[in-house]
């Protein structure tokens, strides 16, 4: 499996875990032990990063998916009896997702910049030996 395929599987899996955590009753929600806002930011940040690495040529769509998931899941909480949608939670999720996509874009860009040097070295090594 290549890196993009693994990132794609992780991205969709993370989105499913976030959906479960967001919509399940509070007592079934997984807790990491840190601040809930840090957990939200980190979850959407990691998801955005994985989507950006998985689909580097579709960054506007990736950003739309991550932000739409944050907005949609937050509004779906209004349907649950023991959950509540709050603007601050939405802001943290959107910020985390946006930062994750930006970090993924930078990571892919850096990888693409360093890759020609590596392939150039390998190509010259084959010519010499």
């Amino acid at each position: 499996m290549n890196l993009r395929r693994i990132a794609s599987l992780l991205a969709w899996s993370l989105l499913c875990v976030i959906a479960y955590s967001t919509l399940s009753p509070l007592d079934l929600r997984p807790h990491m032990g840190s601040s809930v806002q840090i957990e939200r930011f980190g979850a959407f940040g990691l998801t955005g990063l994985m989507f950006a690495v998985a689909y580097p040529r579709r960054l506007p769509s990736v950003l739309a998916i991550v932000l739409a998931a944050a907005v949609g899941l937050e509004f779906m909480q209004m349907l649950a009896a023991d959950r509540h949608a709050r603007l601050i939670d939405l802001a943290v999720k959107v910020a985390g997702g946006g930062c994750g996509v930006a970090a993924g874009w930078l990571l892919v860009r850096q990888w693409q910049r360093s890759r020609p040097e590596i392939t150039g070295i390998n190509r010259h090594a084959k010519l010499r030996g």
Side-chain angles (χ1 to χ4, degrees):
M1 280 188 134
N2 65 15
L3 180 64
R4 287 187 185 162
R5 182 125 174 134
I6 293 169
S8 175
L9 290 171
L10 283 173
W12 289 108
S13 297
L14 284 167
L15 193 57
C16 289
V17 168
I18 288 172
Y20 171 78
S21 299
T22 302
L23 301 175
S24 65
L26 283 175
D27 57 338
L28 296 178
R29 182 183 171 276
H31 295 280
M32 301 289 289
S34 62
S35 166
V36 176
Q37 298 296 3
I38 292 172
E39 289 177 11
R40 289 179 181 127
F41 185 90
F44 274 90
L46 186 58
T47 303
L49 175 79
M50 290 295 108
F51 270 112
V53 170
Y55 308 103
R57 294 185 182 136
R58 296 188 170 109
L59 285 178
S61 297
V62 163
L63 188 60
I65 288 170
V66 172
L67 298 184
V71 172
L73 289 170
E74 195 65 29
F75 283 127
M76 287 177 70
Q77 283 187 353
M78 288 191 282
L79 301 174
D82 65 339
R83 301 306 297 259
H84 55 277
R86 295 185 340 187
L87 194 55
I88 188 67
D89 296 345
L90 176 61
V92 169
K93 292 173 183 179
V94 165
C99 288
V101 171
W105 175 75
L106 287 171
L107 185 67
V108 168
R109 187 174 175 203
Q110 186 63 32
W111 173 260
Q112 289 172 343
R113 282 186 173 180
S114 67
R115 216 169 96 197
E117 295 171 8
I118 294 171
T119 57
I121 292 170
N122 289 341
R123 192 174 2 175
H124 294 305
K126 288 180 183 177
L127 291 175
R128 289 184 196 157

